[in-house]
Amino acid sequence: MRGCPRLALLCALLPWLLRAAAPPSPAQPLERGDPRDPARGADFDRVYSGVVSLSTENIYSFNYTSQPGQVNAVRVYVNSSSENLDYPVLVVVRQQKAVLSWQVPLLFQGLYQRSYNYQEVSRTLCPSEATNETGPLEQLIFVDVASMAPLGAQYKLLVTKIQHFQLQTNVAFHFTASPSQPQKKDFPGEQFFVVFVIKPEDYACGGSFFIQEKENQTWNLQRAKNLKVTIVPSIKETIYVKSILLSFLIFFSFYLGCLLIAFVHYIRFQRKSIDGSFGSSDGSGNMAVSHPIAASTPEGSNYGAIEESSSSPGRQMSSSDGGQPCQSDTDSSVEESDFDTMPDIESDKNIIRTKMFLYLSDLSRKDRRIVSKKYKIYFWNIITIAVFYALPVIQLVITYQTVVNVTGNQDICYYNFLCAHPLGVLSAFNNILSNLGHVLLGFLFLLIVLRRDILHRRALEAKDIFAMDYGIPKHFGVFYAMGIALMMEGVLSACYHVCPNYSNFQFDTSFMYMIAGLCMLKLYQTRHPDINASAYAAYASFAVVITLTVLGVVFGKNDLWFWIIFSAIHILASLALSTQIYYMGRFKIDLGIFRRAAMVFYTDFVQQCSRPLYMDRMVLLIVGNLVNWSFALFGLIYRPRDFASYMLGIFICNLLLYLAFYIIMKLRSSEKLLPIPLFCIVATAVVWASALYFFFQNLSSWEGTPAESREKNRECILLGFFDDHDIWHFLSATALFFSFLVLLTLDDDLDVVRRDQIPVF
């Protein structure tokens, strides 16, 4: 009897051995219904039902022939009525080079440990494409259905061939997908697959959510989305070429315009020289001869009118008056300590700077060479800052772009995907190209400043009386720094747009703060050359601002305490700076500044009810403080999420307020605006208004989810290549260039006015 089991095993293996010894034949579906076969030959588009358990496992085999040039995709559907999550139905699909498995019910984890189960699951199998070299290929697929349920689990199986698997160009395709039934489509030619995956919750895409009362609860949610996909061809290479050429031509036209104006000035100057009419140019090619301060102020006297002899202690002595002859700026032995050791400077400045009426000669008493050397530090410092700041930024954005290209994750960068044109490794080349204007116009501004600097140096070497004792003292260090800042704004904005997201948006805003700050410093330096902030103090202040901005970005979203502290710092800083400006730098800034300011206010305005000594300055500072306090109150109440833009708004509003005050006071002092600065002012206003319109056309936003950002995407509006934000780049670069020209040429009318007759405000 011991040989009976061996005999039974031999009888069972005999049919298999006979089939193995038989000659090979074309693959055919296995005969169905034979319980001895490990796999059941099955048909496509037929529903198979069954029960699997710990002791029962069903295997189905499907085969088909794929022809060269034809892509056949197969989709497997499995449904189970069992809701027992401890014993799900397990599905394993085996192909020639791939294995795929899942379970039914399929479980998804949502927010706050919420679970979702789906009892119908389907998958698309990766097709194996036949080629002309291989000829027709026989494809064999095995579907293994099993379960560890002791009492069995029911299921239904359906395997179909996808009829419309390949997408076509400019042909819309409609279909339905769910979290448990993603879709995969193929695009011929380039051979890439498009996969659509549905999230189980709206919260993942920015929608609302609610918290269930019972933790770890499983929700049987049937969720499906109707989708439409269309493949469109990318733009042609000719559009890239046209867009690049247009960008260069637009800004090179500014170079041609500046060359034309310089040529006209040169011709007029040569004619004036031949005629023997020497004098200082008024900035428009005409020689100014009229006295700009001839009218009376509303008080009935000239602005700041005092006897000329009384301002003589503050006059800067020229070579014709017996003073020290003018020397070149290249004298490296000149140090700022030279004038600090002069006893008359320290003794006189407390008296001069607290006079009721000040003239430019009162605040330009320091040696011109020393002051120029001091302001050149602005230029060299900003170059150092730019190098140390830009190199890590460039390295970081290259890393971001590499990650996007390698992983294919389009949620890392917040592009305007409806108008994002790649070039090489860059995903949105158009957003980078549009920053070209900042670099080209910044360099052009440097050339304009360099030309003025050279002409001024030549005039000083010729001992021109107009260059030494007339007009606004010419110090170009801050102008050079402004040009570098404009160029770096373009570079860093381009870096940001390589991969715009929450982590790197402050790259270009940092130099926006510096541009606004440098413009305010230059405007103040114009009539306060001796008491303007040093480069070290200015850049240290910018560093504090950027530090506060970083803290605001990290903690300013919902933290009320941060906004309370920041608002208090904002208000106190405004008061301290106002006190320093009102008293022309003679009010020492320390911990006791607010106590001393309160005592002065109580003595002058409460006890005596006296009129402010410097009414114009008082009006400016009151308005400025009201604006800054309004910003602080707005931030404390609304707590805007984009803290960087909020901080930039503070800088811009203060700059515009100061510029408006300066122009009003200039006109009130009977000074005039020459044609070039007047044109630049009008152009600045028009271009800024247009630029802000395009700036507020939000095309993407890293403040929300990637899905919410894509809802704001729009098509290109210029040449089929540039979007609204690119137009903002073009216009903002132009507006900044005109703004710089306003500051450079605003006081050209004073080049023939003695400094002891130019009022300070």
Side-chain angles (χ1 to χ4, degrees), residues 489 505 508-517 520 545 549 566 631 642-656 688 692 695 728 736:
E489 169 61 25
F505 74 95
D508 57 339
T509 55
S510 299
F511 268 81
M512 291 181 186
Y513 304 145
M514 298 182 70
I515 288 175
M520 285 187 284
V545 170
T549 304
F566 174 78
F631 267 102
D642 190 355
F643 186 84
S645 298
Y646 166 79
M647 183 71 81
L648 184 61
I650 296 176
F651 270 83
I652 292 177
C653 284
N654 280 276
L655 174 59
L656 293 178
W688 268 125
L692 291 176
F695 175 76
W728 149 255
L736 285 172

Side-chain angles (χ1 to χ4, degrees), residues 205-240:
C205 298
S208 60
F209 66 95
F210 63 94
I211 303 176
Q212 69 272 17
E213 298 179 358
K214 185 178 179 181
E215 294 293 334
N216 298 325
Q217 182 177 352
T218 300
W219 298 73
N220 191 351
L221 178 64
Q222 299 303 318
R223 176 185 178 89
K225 296 290 184 180
N226 296 320
L227 305 175
K228 181 180 73 172
V229 59
T230 305
I231 304 294
V232 296
S234 59
I235 61 176
K236 299 180 180 179
E237 294 181 359
T238 55
I239 297 181
Y240 279 89

Side-chain angles (χ1 to χ4, degrees), residues 534-746:
S534 66
Y536 307 111
Y539 289 126
S541 302
F542 297 152
V544 172
V545 170
I546 295 174
T547 302
L548 289 175
T549 304
V550 172
L551 295 176
V553 170
V554 177
F555 303 106
K557 291 183 178 179
N558 298 310
D559 197 336
L560 179 60
W561 283 107
F562 169 80
W563 283 100
I564 293 176
I565 296 174
F566 174 78
S567 300
I569 294 175
H570 187 185
I571 293 175
L572 293 177
S574 300
L575 290 174
L577 186 61
S578 300
T579 304
Q580 186 75 352
I581 293 175
Y582 185 76
Y583 288 102
M584 291 290 182
R586 302 315 303 153
F587 214 85
K588 186 178 180 181
I589 296 182
D590 54 18
L591 296 179
I593 184 174
F594 299 107
R595 179 180 57 84
R596 296 194 302 273
M599 293 178 59
V600 172
F601 179 83
Y602 178 78
T603 303
D604 293 347
F605 299 103
V606 178
Q607 286 187 340
Q608 302 178 4
C609 290
S610 60
R611 182 177 179 271
L613 185 62
Y614 314 110
M615 180 58 70
D616 297 327
R617 266 180 271 166
M618 177 61 71
V619 172
L620 168 66
L621 296 175
I622 289 177
V623 176
N625 276 273
L626 290 177
V627 171
N628 283 277
W629 296 355
S630 300
F631 267 102
L633 186 62
F634 173 83
L636 186 61
I637 296 176
Y638 294 99
R639 299 196 291 276
R641 296 186 62 183
D642 190 355
F643 186 84
S645 298
Y646 166 79
M647 183 71 81
L648 184 61
I650 296 176
F651 270 83
I652 292 177
C653 284
N654 280 276
L655 174 59
L656 293 178
L657 177 65
Y658 189 25
L659 180 61
F661 167 81
Y662 190 94
I663 294 176
I664 292 173
M665 293 303 300
K666 180 178 178 66
L667 298 177
R668 183 170 176 259
S669 303
S670 300
E671 300 175 10
K672 59 182 179 179
L673 295 175
L674 298 179
I676 287 182
L678 182 60
F679 168 79
C680 292
I681 291 174
V682 175
T684 299
V686 173
V687 178
W688 268 125
S690 304
L692 291 176
Y693 169 79
F694 289 98
F695 175 76
F696 289 111
Q697 305 297 316
N698 293 326
L699 306 181
S700 61
S701 175
W702 46 258
E703 295 182 5
T705 63
E708 290 176 319
S709 177
R710 288 187 178 91
E711 290 293 323
K712 301 179 179 180
N713 291 173
R714 296 183 187 177
E715 299 283 351
C716 303
I717 62 173
L718 180 62
L719 297 179
F721 191 83
F722 297 111
D723 60 16
D724 296 77
H725 199 74
D726 295 323
I727 306 302
W728 149 255
H729 287 160
F730 289 138
L731 294 179
S732 63
T734 306
L736 285 172
F737 177 71
F738 280 125
S739 301
F740 289 3
L741 291 182
V742 170
L743 299 180
L744 184 64
T745 63
L746 187 58

Side-chain angles (χ1 to χ4, degrees), residues 183-441:
Q183 299 287 341
K184 181 191 292 186
K185 301 295 179 182
D186 174 58
F187 184 75
E190 296 295 334
Q191 292 298 318
F192 63 87
F193 293 98
V194 184
V195 182
F196 300 88
V197 180
I198 308 301
K199 298 287 187 179
E201 293 177 327
D202 287 340
Y203 178 74
C205 298
S208 60
F209 66 95
F210 63 94
I211 303 176
Q212 69 272 17
E213 298 179 358
K214 185 178 179 181
E215 294 293 334
N216 298 325
Q217 182 177 352
T218 300
W219 298 73
N220 191 351
L221 178 64
Q222 299 303 318
R223 176 185 178 89
K225 296 290 184 180
N226 296 320
L227 305 175
K228 181 180 73 172
V229 59
T230 305
I231 304 294
V232 296
S234 59
I235 61 176
K236 299 180 180 179
E237 294 181 359
T238 55
I239 297 181
Y240 279 89
V241 175
K242 291 179 181 178
S243 302
I244 294 174
L245 291 178
L246 177 66
S247 302
F248 278 96
L249 289 176
I250 289 176
F251 295 108
F252 276 133
S253 64
F254 285 86
Y255 283 77
L256 295 177
C258 292
L259 286 176
L260 180 62
I261 294 175
F263 179 74
V264 172
H265 282 187
Y266 176 78
I267 296 299
R268 290 188 176 182
F269 179 78
Q270 292 297 326
R271 290 179 178 177
K272 296 289 184 180
S273 300
I274 295 174
D275 295 339
S277 301
F278 295 96
S280 178
S281 174
D282 63 359
S284 63
N286 298 322
M287 307 303 293
V289 294
S290 61
H291 200 290
I293 307 180
S296 299
T297 60
E299 286 79 3
S301 61
N302 289 340
Y303 181 91
I306 53 178
E307 293 297 331
E308 185 173 347
S309 59
S310 64
S311 64
S312 57
R315 287 185 57 187
Q316 185 179 18
M317 299 296 293
S318 66
S319 59
S320 61
D321 295 332
Q324 184 180 3
C326 177
Q327 299 182 17
S328 173
D329 285 335
T330 58
D331 189 357
S332 59
S333 64
V334 177
E335 298 293 341
E336 191 165 355
S337 59
D338 291 348
F339 64 79
D340 289 336
T341 58
M342 295 172 62
D344 60 318
I345 294 293
E346 187 64 32
S347 61
D348 288 348
K349 66 182 180 182
N350 289 326
I351 300 175
I352 293 174
R353 296 181 189 177
T354 54
K355 292 193 305 183
M356 185 173 180
F357 299 107
L358 283 173
Y359 290 98
L360 184 58
S361 58
D362 298 324
L363 299 180
S364 58
R365 306 177 68 239
K366 296 180 180 179
D367 191 294
R368 181 193 55 79
R369 297 167 297 151
I370 298 173
V371 179
S372 293
K373 187 174 181 180
K374 172 183 176 182
Y375 286 127
K376 285 181 181 178
I377 301 176
Y378 277 91
F379 172 67
W380 295 113
N381 278 10
I382 200 170
I383 290 180
T384 305
I385 293 171
V387 172
F388 278 90
Y389 191 90
L391 290 180
V393 168
I394 295 174
Q395 179 183 3
L396 181 61
V397 296
I398 290 176
T399 303
Y400 272 121
Q401 185 68 74
T402 303
V403 171
V404 172
N405 295 340
V406 172
T407 64
N409 186 356
Q410 297 296 318
D411 288 349
I412 298 177
C413 306
Y414 289 71
Y415 300 117
N416 176 19
F417 288 95
L418 294 181
C419 187
H421 303 296
L423 181 66
V425 298
L426 301 174
S427 299
F429 174 71
N430 54 301
N431 293 147
I432 298 173
L433 176 64
S434 58
N435 286 283
L436 181 67
H438 294 87
V439 179
L440 293 180
L441 293 183

Side-chain angles (χ1 to χ4, degrees), residues 498-529:
V498 170
C499 181
N501 58 56
Y502 169 81
S503 302
N504 62 7
F505 74 95
Q506 74 275 16
F507 289 167
D508 57 339
T509 55
S510 299
F511 268 81
M512 291 181 186
Y513 304 145
M514 298 182 70
I515 288 175
L518 288 173
C519 289
M520 285 187 284
L521 286 173
K522 183 58 191 177
L523 201 58
Y524 186 78
Q525 174 211 325
T526 302
R527 308 206 183 204
H528 308 78

Side-chain angles (χ1 to χ4, degrees), residues 28-50:
Q28 298 292 334
L30 296 177
E31 185 179 354
R32 296 182 296 273
D34 190 347
R36 294 175 297 177
D37 290 336
R40 304 178 183 180
D43 297 327
F44 291 100
D45 300 321
R46 178 178 175 181
V47 179
Y48 293 91
S49 302

